Amino acid sequence: MSFPVVSVAISNAVTFGSYTNALDYLTRSGHNNSDQSKQSSLTTVFVAGCFSGIAQLFVSAPIDLVKVRLQNQTKSGGNKYRGPIHCIAVILREDGVKGLFRGIWALALRDVPCLGLYFLPYELICRMLTEKGKQPGNTAVLLAGGVAGVVTWACATPMDVVKARLQMCGGGGRMYSGVLNCITVSVREEGMRVFFKGLLLNSVRAFPVNAVTFLSFEMLLRAMTNLPKD
């Protein structure tokens, strides 16, 4: 777990940074610089979230691949990888650079639309619990962030199962020719319920994790934007 714990900061930085910049750009373009105080539309929020999903894809794909390989290697009969760096070295030696992006299409199908949905309930709940013209309070941010996490993982879990199975190809897991083949084989052998494995655990974990994530983001953003200028 040391690798994802260290690397999650980079992934979240890309996600939230690309989202806020895309949202700012789309909002300014939509208002033609005539009324910058007007709130962004929910459609704009969704599009900015999808853009952040694309931007973070190239960072999170190798990170997620290594995490999945390390967490599942005991199932393949021994410790093939001694750690994150050794795992990366083995993947590069066996599959080349493209091996680090195994399962990226399944990851894209999970993250791009789901990160669009990720920011929608957050913005909506914050607006409902905050007076117009004011910043959301900590309670509103915690509640909105927690709900956003649960909603996102409820939508993301089916493709997360597919992604994990594709990422284990070459790491001791079953081989699939692609996303559709993985879905077809999984449904034929295990039924539709296979796509909801871990949904309850993901949802229970998602609320506190994302509540704290959004609160940390908002607090850091406010602190940094309020720094005195030289």
Side-chain angles (χ1 to χ4, degrees):
M1 288 301 295
S2 59
F3 185 67
V5 167
V6 172
S7 56
V8 71
I10 301 173
S11 180
N12 279 342
V14 174
T15 299
F16 282 86
S18 57
Y19 166 73
T20 51
N21 280 283
L23 185 64
D24 182 64
Y25 174 78
L26 292 171
T27 302
R28 290 177 182 272
S29 299
H31 296 156
N32 295 319
N33 296 319
S34 59
D35 184 9
Q36 298 304 325
S37 63
K38 190 176 180 181
Q39 285 184 325
S40 306
S41 68
L42 294 180
T43 302
T44 302
V45 171
F46 177 77
V47 173
C50 289
F51 174 78
S52 73
I54 297 172
Q56 62 87 42
L57 197 60
F58 300 98
V59 176
S60 63
I63 292 172
D64 202 63
L65 176 68
V66 172
K67 181 193 72 173
V68 169
R69 289 283 181 91
L70 290 174
Q71 288 177 337
N72 289 276
Q73 65 176 342
T74 54
K75 296 180 181 180
S76 58
N79 293 330
K80 182 178 180 179
Y81 312 110
R82 296 192 296 270
I85 304 301
H86 181 250
C87 180
I88 294 173
V90 171
I91 293 172
L92 288 173
R93 185 174 66 248
E94 294 180 350
D95 301 318
V97 175
K98 68 178 182 180
L100 291 174
F101 296 90
R102 187 185 292 273
I104 192 171
W105 292 114
L107 190 64
L109 290 172
R110 185 196 74 174
D111 284 358
V112 175
C114 286
L115 277 174
L117 292 173
Y118 183 53
F119 292 99
L120 266 180
Y122 175 76
E123 290 287 345
L124 187 59
I125 294 173
C126 279
R127 293 177 187 183
M128 291 172 58
L129 300 178
T130 307
E131 294 182 24
K132 191 173 182 179
K134 293 186 177 181
Q135 291 184 326
N138 291 345
T139 302
V141 171
L142 285 169
L143 179 61
V147 172
V150 173
V151 170
T152 302
W153 271 108
C155 299
T157 296
M159 195 52 63
D160 188 64
V161 173
V162 176
K163 171 199 68 73
R165 293 187 174 203
L166 288 172
Q167 288 174 328
M168 282 305 297
C169 294
R174 182 170 183 170
M175 298 299 296
Y176 301 98
S177 60
V179 175
L180 289 178
N181 177 251
C182 181
I183 293 173
T184 303
V185 172
S186 298
V187 171
R188 184 172 63 244
E189 295 184 354
E190 301 175 64
M192 288 297 296
R193 67 178 183 275
V194 67
F195 296 120
F196 299 95
K197 284 185 175 180
L199 176 58
L200 179 60
L201 179 60
N202 284 338
S203 299
V204 170
R205 180 195 65 180
F207 191 96
V209 168
N210 289 280
V212 173
T213 298
F214 271 103
L215 181 61
S216 301
F217 168 71
E218 292 287 357
M219 292 179 69
L220 284 170
L221 190 63
R222 293 171 192 174
M224 294 177 72
T225 53
N226 291 330
L227 287 174
K229 297 181 180 180
D230 295 334

